[in-house]
Amino acid sequence: MATTYGHVPVDMTIDEKDSLMFAFRNMELKMTNMEKDAQEMRLAAQETRFAQQEMRAVQQEMQASLLETTQIVRSLCDAVKQLVPTANTAATNGVSNGSLSPH
């Protein structure tokens, strides 16, 4: 059976032609699978980008919370610093007077 490849005639048996068609279909199937895999990879990349955006948002929330907590702790420390000298003075006065209460 004479077949042409481009303009060049090629003699092939039916088995060779069937084998070639099978290989061609197999190649098409592999290409289809590769296209599906590529689509899945694009989807996974998109999901990864979305997860990264969510992680950045959580990180920003945590940083804001940490800043707020730091400010609260600093305020508490300032309040304690103001109370400590008063407590130290009262204790010193109490000890110098010979009692625990200032008189």
Side-chain angles (χ1 to χ4, degrees):
M1 171 181 248
T3 304
T4 58
Y5 180 75
H7 296 290
V8 180
V10 176
D11 289 330
M12 268 193 251
T13 66
I14 292 187
D15 287 342
E16 290 171 332
K17 185 177 180 181
D18 288 345
S19 178
L20 185 59
M21 290 304 294
F22 176 77
F24 179 74
R25 287 187 191 117
N26 194 23
M27 182 72 78
E28 283 183 323
L29 181 61
K30 287 181 181 180
M31 291 292 288
T32 300
N33 289 339
M34 288 173 64
E35 289 169 357
K36 288 179 183 176
D37 290 345
Q39 179 63 28
E40 288 176 6
M41 290 173 69
R42 284 189 291 273
L43 181 61
Q46 185 178 17
E47 290 172 351
T48 300
R49 285 189 297 273
F50 180 71
Q52 287 172 335
Q53 289 173 348
E54 286 182 333
M55 288 173 53
R56 280 192 289 274
V58 168
Q59 183 181 22
Q60 289 173 350
E61 288 175 17
M62 290 174 64
Q63 287 174 337
S65 178
L66 179 60
L67 179 61
E68 183 180 348
T69 302
T70 301
Q71 290 171 344
I72 291 169
V73 169
R74 283 185 180 152
S75 295
L76 289 172
C77 287
D78 290 342
V80 168
K81 285 177 187 176
Q82 291 175 0
L83 292 174
V84 169
T86 306
N88 284 340
T89 303
T92 304
N93 288 342
V95 170
S96 66
N97 292 336
S99 68
L100 293 177
S101 61
H103 290 257

